[in-house]
mmCIF file of all heavy atoms in Angstrom:
data_model
loop_
_atom_site.group_PDB
_atom_site.id
_atom_site.type_symbol
_atom_site.label_atom_id
_atom_site.label_comp_id
_atom_site.label_asym_id
_atom_site.label_seq_id
_atom_site.Cartn_x
_atom_site.Cartn_y
_atom_site.Cartn_z
ATOM 1 N N ALA A 1 4.126 18.892 20.895
ATOM 2 C CA ALA A 1 3.671 19.250 19.552
ATOM 3 C C ALA A 1 4.494 18.545 18.480
ATOM 4 O O ALA A 1 3.948 18.020 17.505
ATOM 5 C CB ALA A 1 3.733 20.770 19.359
ATOM 6 N N GLN A 2 5.816 18.514 18.654
ATOM 7 C CA GLN A 2 6.644 17.840 17.663
ATOM 8 C C GLN A 2 6.418 16.332 17.710
ATOM 9 O O GLN A 2 6.463 15.670 16.678
ATOM 10 C CB GLN A 2 8.117 18.186 17.870
ATOM 11 C CG GLN A 2 8.411 19.595 17.418
ATOM 12 C CD GLN A 2 9.892 19.867 17.290
ATOM 13 O OE1 GLN A 2 10.736 19.001 17.468
ATOM 14 N NE2 GLN A 2 10.219 21.099 16.970
ATOM 15 N N SER A 3 6.177 15.794 18.891
ATOM 16 C CA SER A 3 5.904 14.361 19.004
ATOM 17 C C SER A 3 4.659 13.986 18.227
ATOM 18 O O SER A 3 4.642 13.012 17.473
ATOM 19 C CB SER A 3 5.732 13.960 20.477
ATOM 20 O OG SER A 3 6.916 14.160 21.185
ATOM 21 N N VAL A 4 3.613 14.756 18.411
ATOM 22 C CA VAL A 4 2.365 14.482 17.697
ATOM 23 C C VAL A 4 2.590 14.607 16.199
ATOM 24 O O VAL A 4 2.160 13.753 15.413
ATOM 25 C CB VAL A 4 1.240 15.426 18.184
ATOM 26 C CG1 VAL A 4 0.025 15.340 17.284
ATOM 27 C CG2 VAL A 4 0.874 15.105 19.626
ATOM 28 N N SER A 5 3.281 15.653 15.784
ATOM 29 C CA SER A 5 3.544 15.857 14.363
ATOM 30 C C SER A 5 4.342 14.699 13.774
ATOM 31 O O SER A 5 4.003 14.167 12.711
ATOM 32 C CB SER A 5 4.288 17.173 14.162
ATOM 33 O OG SER A 5 4.579 17.367 12.805
ATOM 34 N N LEU A 6 5.398 14.304 14.455
ATOM 35 C CA LEU A 6 6.215 13.203 13.948
ATOM 36 C C LEU A 6 5.431 11.896 13.941
ATOM 37 O O LEU A 6 5.513 11.116 12.992
ATOM 38 C CB LEU A 6 7.489 13.043 14.788
ATOM 39 C CG LEU A 6 8.600 14.029 14.481
ATOM 40 C CD1 LEU A 6 9.667 13.977 15.564
ATOM 41 C CD2 LEU A 6 9.224 13.733 13.130
ATOM 42 N N ALA A 7 4.685 11.644 14.998
ATOM 43 C CA ALA A 7 3.936 10.393 15.088
ATOM 44 C C ALA A 7 2.873 10.294 14.003
ATOM 45 O O ALA A 7 2.557 9.199 13.530
ATOM 46 C CB ALA A 7 3.296 10.259 16.464
ATOM 47 N N LEU A 8 2.333 11.419 13.580
ATOM 48 C CA LEU A 8 1.254 11.389 12.599
ATOM 49 C C LEU A 8 1.725 11.573 11.156
ATOM 50 O O LEU A 8 1.068 11.107 10.239
ATOM 51 C CB LEU A 8 0.223 12.483 12.928
ATOM 52 C CG LEU A 8 -0.510 12.317 14.252
ATOM 53 C CD1 LEU A 8 -1.420 13.504 14.493
ATOM 54 C CD2 LEU A 8 -1.297 11.019 14.284
ATOM 55 N N ASP A 9 2.858 12.258 10.968
ATOM 56 C CA ASP A 9 3.237 12.661 9.615
ATOM 57 C C ASP A 9 4.546 12.091 9.083
ATOM 58 O O ASP A 9 4.861 12.288 7.917
ATOM 59 C CB ASP A 9 3.328 14.191 9.531
ATOM 60 C CG ASP A 9 2.001 14.861 9.813
ATOM 61 O OD1 ASP A 9 0.955 14.257 9.530
ATOM 62 O OD2 ASP A 9 2.012 15.996 10.328
ATOM 63 N N ASN A 10 5.333 11.420 9.888
ATOM 64 C CA ASN A 10 6.636 10.951 9.446
ATOM 65 C C ASN A 10 6.608 9.435 9.267
ATOM 66 O O ASN A 10 6.361 8.711 10.230
ATOM 67 C CB ASN A 10 7.699 11.353 10.473
ATOM 68 C CG ASN A 10 9.087 10.956 10.057
ATOM 69 O OD1 ASN A 10 9.418 9.783 10.062
ATOM 70 N ND2 ASN A 10 9.897 11.943 9.722
ATOM 71 N N PRO A 11 6.867 8.931 8.065
ATOM 72 C CA PRO A 11 6.798 7.484 7.828
ATOM 73 C C PRO A 11 7.741 6.670 8.724
ATOM 74 O O PRO A 11 7.366 5.604 9.209
ATOM 75 C CB PRO A 11 7.190 7.332 6.358
ATOM 76 C CG PRO A 11 6.985 8.671 5.748
ATOM 77 C CD PRO A 11 7.170 9.670 6.844
ATOM 78 N N ASP A 12 8.954 7.170 8.970
ATOM 79 C CA ASP A 12 9.884 6.458 9.851
ATOM 80 C C ASP A 12 9.344 6.395 11.270
ATOM 81 O O ASP A 12 9.428 5.367 11.945
ATOM 82 C CB ASP A 12 11.256 7.132 9.867
ATOM 83 C CG ASP A 12 12.014 6.984 8.559
ATOM 84 O OD1 ASP A 12 11.674 6.072 7.763
ATOM 85 O OD2 ASP A 12 12.934 7.780 8.319
ATOM 86 N N ALA A 13 8.793 7.514 11.738
ATOM 87 C CA ALA A 13 8.246 7.557 13.083
ATOM 88 C C ALA A 13 7.017 6.651 13.195
ATOM 89 O O ALA A 13 6.833 5.951 14.199
ATOM 90 C CB ALA A 13 7.888 8.985 13.470
ATOM 91 N N GLU A 14 6.176 6.658 12.185
ATOM 92 C CA GLU A 14 4.996 5.787 12.196
ATOM 93 C C GLU A 14 5.411 4.326 12.268
ATOM 94 O O GLU A 14 4.820 3.531 13.015
ATOM 95 C CB GLU A 14 4.149 6.035 10.952
ATOM 96 C CG GLU A 14 3.421 7.362 10.948
ATOM 97 C CD GLU A 14 2.619 7.578 9.673
ATOM 98 O OE1 GLU A 14 2.045 6.613 9.140
ATOM 99 O OE2 GLU A 14 2.585 8.736 9.209
ATOM 100 N N ALA A 15 6.429 3.955 11.521
ATOM 101 C CA ALA A 15 6.895 2.566 11.524
ATOM 102 C C ALA A 15 7.485 2.193 12.880
ATOM 103 O O ALA A 15 7.222 1.097 13.408
ATOM 104 C CB ALA A 15 7.931 2.360 10.421
ATOM 105 N N LYS A 16 8.271 3.087 13.478
ATOM 106 C CA LYS A 16 8.859 2.813 14.798
ATOM 107 C C LYS A 16 7.753 2.708 15.845
ATOM 108 O O LYS A 16 7.777 1.846 16.711
ATOM 109 C CB LYS A 16 9.870 3.887 15.192
ATOM 110 C CG LYS A 16 10.612 3.549 16.478
ATOM 111 C CD LYS A 16 11.763 4.493 16.716
ATOM 112 C CE LYS A 16 12.615 4.088 17.888
ATOM 113 N NZ LYS A 16 12.010 4.129 19.176
ATOM 114 N N PHE A 17 6.761 3.583 15.779
ATOM 115 C CA PHE A 17 5.642 3.543 16.716
ATOM 116 C C PHE A 17 4.907 2.212 16.590
ATOM 117 O O PHE A 17 4.612 1.551 17.580
ATOM 118 C CB PHE A 17 4.684 4.712 16.455
ATOM 119 C CG PHE A 17 3.524 4.765 17.410
ATOM 120 C CD1 PHE A 17 3.637 5.459 18.603
ATOM 121 C CD2 PHE A 17 2.329 4.118 17.126
ATOM 122 C CE1 PHE A 17 2.575 5.499 19.488
ATOM 123 C CE2 PHE A 17 1.263 4.154 18.004
ATOM 124 C CZ PHE A 17 1.387 4.852 19.192
ATOM 125 N N ALA A 18 4.618 1.806 15.361
ATOM 126 C CA ALA A 18 3.911 0.544 15.132
ATOM 127 C C ALA A 18 4.723 -0.643 15.652
ATOM 128 O O ALA A 18 4.167 -1.576 16.240
ATOM 129 C CB ALA A 18 3.603 0.375 13.650
ATOM 130 N N ALA A 19 6.025 -0.619 15.457
ATOM 131 C CA ALA A 19 6.874 -1.714 15.940
ATOM 132 C C ALA A 19 6.897 -1.758 17.461
ATOM 133 O O ALA A 19 6.959 -2.830 18.062
ATOM 134 C CB ALA A 19 8.291 -1.549 15.396
ATOM 135 N N THR A 20 6.836 -0.604 18.094
ATOM 136 C CA THR A 20 6.901 -0.544 19.554
ATOM 137 C C THR A 20 5.553 -0.819 20.199
ATOM 138 O O THR A 20 5.469 -1.541 21.191
ATOM 139 C CB THR A 20 7.409 0.851 20.006
ATOM 140 O OG1 THR A 20 8.679 1.090 19.403
ATOM 141 C CG2 THR A 20 7.534 0.926 21.524
ATOM 142 N N TYR A 21 4.479 -0.259 19.653
ATOM 143 C CA TYR A 21 3.176 -0.316 20.312
ATOM 144 C C TYR A 21 2.142 -1.188 19.608
ATOM 145 O O TYR A 21 1.001 -1.268 20.046
ATOM 146 C CB TYR A 21 2.622 1.107 20.487
ATOM 147 C CG TYR A 21 3.496 1.942 21.393
ATOM 148 C CD1 TYR A 21 4.354 2.900 20.862
ATOM 149 C CD2 TYR A 21 3.484 1.754 22.766
ATOM 150 C CE1 TYR A 21 5.174 3.654 21.681
ATOM 151 C CE2 TYR A 21 4.296 2.501 23.597
ATOM 152 C CZ TYR A 21 5.133 3.450 23.042
ATOM 153 O OH TYR A 21 5.939 4.189 23.855
ATOM 154 N N GLY A 22 2.535 -1.818 18.525
ATOM 155 C CA GLY A 22 1.622 -2.734 17.846
ATOM 156 C C GLY A 22 0.378 -2.044 17.334
ATOM 157 O O GLY A 22 0.441 -0.999 16.698
ATOM 158 N N SER A 23 -0.746 -2.607 17.641
ATOM 159 C CA SER A 23 -2.007 -2.095 17.099
ATOM 160 C C SER A 23 -2.614 -0.972 17.937
ATOM 161 O O SER A 23 -3.684 -0.468 17.590
ATOM 162 C CB SER A 23 -3.021 -3.238 16.985
ATOM 163 O OG SER A 23 -3.312 -3.743 18.287
ATOM 164 N N LEU A 24 -1.964 -0.572 19.027
ATOM 165 C CA LEU A 24 -2.501 0.519 19.833
ATOM 166 C C LEU A 24 -2.488 1.822 19.039
ATOM 167 O O LEU A 24 -1.550 2.103 18.308
ATOM 168 C CB LEU A 24 -1.670 0.722 21.108
ATOM 169 C CG LEU A 24 -1.688 -0.384 22.153
ATOM 170 C CD1 LEU A 24 -0.747 -0.031 23.297
ATOM 171 C CD2 LEU A 24 -3.097 -0.611 22.681
#
């Protein structure tokens, strides 16, 4: 639940996700 929340709502997490997984 926290992973989903962070991945969707936290700008730092979104940027790290994008850097790691690209366009997925």
Side-chain angles (χ1 to χ4, degrees):
Q2 286 194 4
S3 296
V4 169
S5 178
L6 281 167
L8 296 176
D9 298 330
N10 183 289
D12 290 341
E14 289 179 37
K16 187 170 187 294
F17 182 89
T20 303
Y21 297 103
S23 63
L24 293 177

